[in-house]
Amino acid sequence: MALQLGPFLTSKPTKPLSFKLHSIANPSHRSPTSMSCSVVSGSATFADQMIQYHPSSSSHYTKVCITSGGSANHHTSTKLMKLCKGREKVNKPAAPHREAHVQVTHSMQPEKIEIFKSMEHWAKKNLLVHLKPVENCWQPQDFLPDPKSDGFEEQVKELRERAREIPDDYFVALVGSMITEEALPTYQTMLNTLDGVRDETASSLTPWAIWTRAWTAEENRHGDLLNKYLYLSGRVNMKLVEKTIQYLIGAGMDPQTENNPYLLFTYTSFQERATSISHGNTGRLAKAHGDVKLAQICGTIASDEKRHEAAYTKIMEKLFEIDPDGTVSALADMMRKRMPMPAHLMYDGCDDNIFSHYSAIVQRLGIYTAKDYADVLEFLVGRWKVENLTGLSAEGRKAQDYVCGLAPKIRRLEERAWARAKEAPTIPFSWISDRPVKL
């Protein structure tokens, strides 16, 4: 899993951007069996990318529109630089300040849980086929200098020479992707919160549990490979990168999926396709910068993500067949929540908004954009034949109309995103030793 961008912007670029978190506990949701409060950030959307935050004199944060003037941009960049330089001299919190909101838990009705129990035979035949035997899988060492080889030092030297030609903003994007992949413990934890499909014993032999463990094992290679490549490249501050990974795993994630597999399998279908696109584009950029080996690494990871996408979209396809009303409502629910990103709680001990800053660079480089977001939605709506669903309830028809009409709206906002990105500030990034990068 990796980066996924939300699509929404305000429509008036001359005014400061502002937005509110939508309440998760809205009247359209089924009644939860329990609720808890957690300190988390809201979904990082394109609106997040168009604003900068800087601490005001109080404990709150002032939002400054990027297009509101150069002085604000300069102030933000300068203040962030001072904070980064002083990071080792102060005791940092375990995570940045987050707004508290109510989290809905266990929203799926008992009869829906039985649907997933009844699908176990189907999952064994149709889901587990998307896993590869370990002996047939690639391993990180297949792409890296061989430490047993007499030519190891020369291989590392060649890797570093290729990496030297790649610009800093690309490395920010690659580091952010690697950090997201390294937060895999959180993603397995999230899958094991799901009612009806969780691994109850950590070694359960149900097909759902087997899938979760084996999917995690396959995904684990992605972060391992990118981490080792970045370490050998000599281009990044590995200690700050490692801190960011620890902060992120400690913070967890809040995809607002309510222990509900309808919602999370919608989310994973979207995320796996988005990740395949972003890794693929990262590889193409690496090739353009002359690093064919890195391009191969990214392309190989993208291929894995594509295979995992096929599995999750197949689950959703079956759910649309069994329960079209509940499934289209779940799709609409997640789209209204703007698909919160897996790494939206990212923090490096310095920049409270490092995820938004990283996302802005990914958008500017064309690694994952508003167009890609709309393309993913459009593909899934077509794959699941959402427009052709019949026999829906009034709520189901409303959800159907919403998701089928959403992609064109997202595309209309893309030009605004690019226009504002042209006026983005330059800020230091801890991952590359505080060298400045344009957002």
Side-chain angles (χ1 to χ4, degrees):
M1 300 177 81
L3 175 70
Q4 206 316 165
L5 301 176
F8 297 94
L9 295 168
T10 61
S11 59
K12 298 180 181 180
T14 56
K15 295 183 178 180
L17 292 168
S18 181
F19 60 96
K20 294 181 179 180
L21 288 173
H22 294 286
S23 172
I24 301 176
N26 63 56
S28 67
H29 287 157
R30 293 178 290 276
S31 299
T33 57
S34 63
M35 301 174 73
S36 62
C37 186
S38 178
V39 181
V40 296
S41 73
S43 309
T45 67
F46 272 103
D48 296 328
Q49 298 167 33
M50 297 302 109
I51 57 178
Q52 295 299 309
Y53 297 73
H54 63 84
S56 64
S57 57
S58 69
S59 61
H60 297 85
Y61 285 83
T62 304
K63 298 181 181 180
V64 181
C65 181
I66 284 176
T67 58
S68 65
S71 60
N73 296 339
H74 176 74
H75 174 75
T76 301
S77 181
T78 302
K79 187 134 188 161
L80 183 56
M81 179 72 81
K82 290 179 179 178
L83 285 171
C84 289
K85 286 183 176 179
R87 72 164 65 85
E88 303 296 343
K89 300 178 182 178
V90 296
N91 292 323
K92 289 291 179 181
H97 170 74
R98 305 290 182 189
E99 293 183 25
H101 71 85
V102 174
Q103 294 179 311
V104 175
T105 60
H106 305 287
S107 65
M108 190 167 66
Q109 298 166 348
E111 59 268 26
K112 301 287 188 181
I113 295 178
E114 291 306 312
I115 289 177
F116 290 93
K117 298 295 185 184
S118 71
M119 285 175 62
E120 288 189 356
H121 180 68
W122 175 91
K124 184 176 181 179
K125 291 181 62 178
N126 295 277
L127 183 60
L128 301 187
V129 296
H130 292 284
L131 298 168
K132 281 188 175 182
V134 173
E135 296 303 322
N136 295 345
C137 285
W138 61 266
Q139 298 299 331
Q141 188 53 55
D142 296 335
F143 302 90
L144 297 167
D146 183 359
K148 302 190 309 296
S149 167
D150 291 338
F152 175 67
E153 292 183 1
E154 186 61 30
Q155 293 170 30
V156 172
K157 182 180 178 181
E158 290 173 1
L159 184 154
R160 292 168 72 96
E161 287 175 352
R162 292 193 303 271
R164 194 175 295 120
E165 302 303 317
I166 300 176
D168 280 341
D169 53 5
Y170 179 93
F171 271 100
V172 169
L174 189 63
V175 168
S177 181
M178 181 273 281
I179 289 168
T180 305
E181 295 283 1
E182 289 281 57
L184 186 62
T186 298
Y187 313 145
Q188 184 177 23
T189 299
M190 183 57 61
L191 284 166
N192 282 328
T193 68
L194 298 179
D195 295 330
V197 300
R198 70 172 61 90
D199 184 352
E200 298 283 2
T201 67
S203 60
S204 169
L205 295 180
T206 68
W208 299 116
I210 291 170
W211 166 263
T212 294
R213 293 195 303 271
W215 171 86
T216 302
E218 290 192 354
E219 288 275 335
N220 186 61
R221 300 166 302 148
H222 302 171
D224 281 355
L225 176 54
L226 293 174
N227 194 318
K228 290 172 182 175
Y229 168 84
L230 287 164
Y231 172 81
L232 293 172
S233 76
R235 288 292 304 277
V236 303
N237 184 330
M238 284 305 298
K239 183 172 182 178
L240 267 297
V241 171
E242 289 160 355
K243 281 186 178 182
T244 308
I245 295 169
Q246 185 174 351
Y247 274 122
L248 181 57
I249 295 174
M253 66 182 292
D254 181 25
Q256 304 173 31
T257 49
E258 308 171 12
N259 310 97
N260 186 331
Y262 281 83
L263 298 178
L264 192 64
F265 289 150
T266 299
Y267 182 81
T268 52
S269 297
F270 208 105
Q271 287 290 351
E272 294 287 11
R273 186 167 184 83
T275 303
S276 177
I277 291 169
S278 63
H279 280 303
N281 287 335
T282 304
R284 280 184 279 277
L285 277 178
K287 186 176 181 179
H289 291 306
D291 195 334
V292 178
K293 293 281 190 180
L294 179 55
Q296 184 185 16
I297 287 172
C298 296
T300 300
I301 294 173
S303 179
D304 265 7
E305 305 290 9
K306 192 73 174 172
R307 181 162 47 84
H308 295 161
E309 173 208 331
Y312 285 117
T313 55
K314 191 182 285 187
I315 295 172
M316 292 298 294
E317 201 167 47
K318 187 65 175 178
L319 287 173
F320 269 109
E321 177 187 320
I322 296 171
D323 181 17
D325 212 69
T327 310
V328 74
S329 295
L331 175 58
D333 188 357
M334 288 310 300
M335 294 312 302
R336 289 191 179 99
K337 292 169 180 173
R338 307 176 186 180
M339 292 287 178
M341 274 79 41
H344 68 117
L345 300 183
M346 188 182 284
Y347 180 52
D348 64 345
C350 168
D351 181 2
D352 286 0
N353 300 285
I354 194 166
F355 183 80
S356 295
H357 297 155
Y358 150 65
S359 298
I361 291 173
V362 167
Q363 159 77 14
R364 178 173 61 78
L365 292 179
I367 289 173
Y368 195 81
T369 68
K371 178 183 180 300
D372 295 317
Y373 184 99
D375 287 347
V376 171
L377 174 60
E378 207 164 58
F379 172 85
L380 293 176
V381 166
R383 164 74 188 268
W384 296 328
K385 299 180 174 61
V386 177
E387 289 186 359
N388 301 330
L389 296 176
T390 58
L392 299 174
S393 66
E395 183 179 348
R397 288 194 300 274
K398 184 178 179 182
Q400 181 185 41
D401 290 343
Y402 173 72
V403 296
C404 290
L406 190 56
K409 295 177 182 177
I410 296 170
R411 294 189 196 285
R412 286 196 293 271
L413 294 171
E414 184 186 12
E415 289 185 7
R416 297 172 190 167
W418 283 114
R420 293 176 185 183
K422 292 178 181 177
E423 301 183 37
T426 296
I427 68 166
F429 260 89
S430 65
W431 304 336
I432 54 171
S433 302
D434 294 333
R435 294 192 296 275
V437 176
K438 179 179 171 60
L439 296 185

